[in-house]
């Protein structure tokens, strides 16, 4: 096993239901476990907790995927099923669609942000960085290496430098967030989209940070960092309400995304979502309207 230590049963949160699976008080509420195993974990106050013990092999596999992906080792099982744990470890990276996968093994250095991998004939891409672990290195080697490492913003660089050194990859970051990765090989300026290739478009989206960006792949997959995600409770696309560098920049850059077609939103934090391009545009229009209403209410 490579990764953070397992949870401490002595720190078990009281919000956990009875049973062997639990979350301890080191939880940072990053949402990773709730994405991977929503039938077992839910938000309770400022942490996640087990609200229902997993039933059957499928749910147990998901729970162990959450345990492994947890960036701070807050999840434990007092009756560990070693076979299921091995199966969960072998399941990463998790294929999302065709040549796109979620890498797992989220890093505490990026507050548990999700990272993705895209295989491509002209060179593979990693979007934000997970922990630097041997299983992920082997996976990347087996799939042809890594050419580009796209960093959505300054918060989620994690161990990008280690992956870049190992594979000779080109790190891409916006100049406004360059302090987080000063050795990056490709620095984006301004707010205009940049076509990295016919299949990849880099779109600056200042708001959460001055240098936030999203990556659009084949007009289908939008890797959105912390700029945009699906809210499972509200059943709607959402943008950050706190930790925002500029609400006005957020509104403008979100509205600008209406000029692009996509069917998937694959965020660093929050839930992934797949809709038709038409339905996704409608959801994005609703998000832009919500941002305008919020701005109007804030005016004196």
């Amino acid at each position: 096993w490579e990764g953070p230590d397992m949870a401490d049963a002595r720190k078990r949160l009281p919000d956990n239901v009875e049973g062997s699976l639990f979350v301890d008080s080191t939880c940072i509420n990053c949402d990773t476990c709730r994405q991977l195993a929503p039938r077992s974990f839910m938000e309770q106050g400022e942490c996640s907790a087990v609200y229902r013990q997993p039933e059957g092999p499928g749910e147990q596999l998901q729970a162990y995927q959450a345990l492994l992906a947890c960036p701070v080792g807050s999840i434990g099982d007092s009756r560990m099923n070693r076979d299921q744990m091995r199966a969960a470890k072998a399941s990463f990276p998790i294929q999302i669609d065709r040549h796109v996968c979620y890498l797992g093994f989220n890093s505490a250095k990026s507050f548990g942000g999700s990272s993705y991998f895209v295989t491509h004939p002209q060179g593979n891409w990693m979007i934000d960085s997970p922990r630097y672990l041997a299983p992920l290195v082997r996976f990347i080697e087996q799939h042809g290496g890594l050419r580009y490492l796209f960093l959505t913003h300054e918060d989620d660089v994690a161990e990008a430098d280690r992956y870049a050194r190992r594979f000779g990859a080109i790190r891409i970051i916006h100049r406004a967030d360059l302090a987080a990765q000063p050795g990056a090989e490709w620095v984006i300026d301004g707010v205009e989209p940049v076509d990295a290739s016919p299949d990849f478009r880099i779109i600056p989206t200042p708001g959460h940070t001055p240098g936030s960006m999203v990556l659009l792949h084949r007009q289908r997959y939008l890797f959105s960092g912390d700029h945009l995600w699906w809210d499972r409770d509200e059943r709607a696309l959402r943008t950050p309400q706190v930790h925002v560098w500029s609400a006005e920049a957020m509104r403008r850059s979100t509205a600008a995304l209406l000029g692009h077609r996509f069917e998937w939103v694959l965020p660093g934090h929050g839930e992934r979502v797949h809709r038709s391009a038409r339905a996704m545009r409608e959801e994005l229009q609703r998000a832009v309207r919500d941002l305008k209403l919020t701005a109007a209410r804030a005016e004196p």
Side-chain angles (χ1 to χ4, degrees):
W1 158 244
E2 299 177 75
D5 294 333
M6 296 296 178
D8 186 344
R10 296 169 297 180
K11 299 178 181 179
R12 180 182 179 123
L13 290 168
D15 290 322
N16 293 288
V17 297
E18 289 187 11
S20 63
L21 186 70
F22 67 94
V23 179
D24 75 12
S25 60
T26 62
C27 174
I28 60 173
N29 201 25
C30 69
D31 195 46
T32 298
C33 64
R34 306 193 296 268
Q35 295 174 41
L36 289 168
R39 292 182 63 82
S40 295
F41 299 94
M42 68 183 299
E43 189 172 22
Q44 296 280 9
E46 297 183 354
C47 293
S48 292
V50 176
Y51 77 98
R52 178 177 171 276
Q53 293 291 328
E55 298 178 359
E59 290 184 11
Q60 191 170 53
L61 175 66
Q62 290 180 340
Y64 283 1
Q65 287 173 333
L67 186 155
L68 291 169
C70 176
V72 291
S74 295
I75 303 171
D77 190 342
S78 59
R79 294 196 297 270
M80 186 71 69
N81 183 319
R82 298 293 175 183
D83 290 337
Q84 280 285 55
M85 179 59 77
R86 282 191 289 270
K89 188 175 181 181
S91 71
F92 288 109
I94 297 173
Q95 186 174 13
I96 293 174
D97 189 45
R98 301 179 185 176
H99 53 287
V100 177
C101 65
Y102 158 65
L103 288 170
F105 302 106
N106 298 24
S107 173
K109 295 178 181 178
S110 58
F111 201 76
S114 295
S115 305
Y116 303 92
F117 189 78
V118 181
T119 56
H120 193 272
Q122 296 179 7
N124 299 330
W125 289 65
M126 179 187 287
I127 296 87
D128 290 332
S129 170
R131 283 172 258 156
Y132 187 84
L133 297 177
L136 291 181
V137 171
R138 287 195 296 270
F139 171 83
I140 294 169
E141 289 172 342
Q142 292 164 2
H143 287 78
L146 179 64
R147 185 175 183 186
Y148 298 106
L149 210 169
F150 180 79
L151 300 169
T152 60
H153 65 296
E154 62 189 8
D155 299 333
D156 288 0
V157 303
E159 298 186 277
D161 53 348
R162 296 187 68 183
Y163 281 104
R165 286 197 302 271
R166 173 64 182 78
F167 293 101
I170 297 169
R171 291 164 293 172
I172 306 171
I173 196 168
H174 196 280
R175 188 172 301 280
D177 281 8
L178 183 59
Q181 199 76 178
E185 292 76 18
W186 186 354
V187 180
I188 303 297
D189 288 290
V191 295
E192 294 301 316
V194 175
D195 288 327
S197 78
D199 288 335
F200 292 90
R201 172 168 287 186
I202 298 166
I203 307 171
T205 51
H208 172 55
T209 68
S212 290
M213 302 189 294
V214 300
L215 180 67
L216 179 60
H217 176 45
R218 291 182 175 171
Q219 299 186 66
R220 180 172 170 84
Y221 311 95
L222 187 75
F223 298 95
S224 58
D226 285 2
H227 184 79
L228 194 67
W229 66 88
W230 184 253
D231 187 310
R232 69 173 65 87
D233 297 322
E234 299 293 332
R235 306 304 297 169
L237 286 177
R238 288 287 179 253
T239 56
Q241 302 298 307
V242 295
H243 307 300
V244 174
W245 166 73
S246 168
E248 176 58 22
M250 175 75 70
R251 186 190 65 76
R252 289 197 305 267
S253 61
T254 304
L257 290 177
L258 289 167
H260 303 276
R261 180 187 185 279
F262 54 93
E263 301 173 17
W264 283 87
V265 169
L266 302 167
H269 291 94
E271 190 168 347
R272 300 182 281 272
V273 64
H274 180 212
R275 296 285 188 272
S276 69
R278 180 178 178 179
M280 191 66 81
R281 180 177 175 81
E282 291 173 353
E283 295 291 348
L284 185 60
Q285 288 172 330
R286 187 175 299 114
V288 171
R289 287 197 299 270
D290 289 346
L291 285 170
K292 289 180 179 178
L293 288 172
T294 300
R297 286 194 295 266
E299 291 178 359

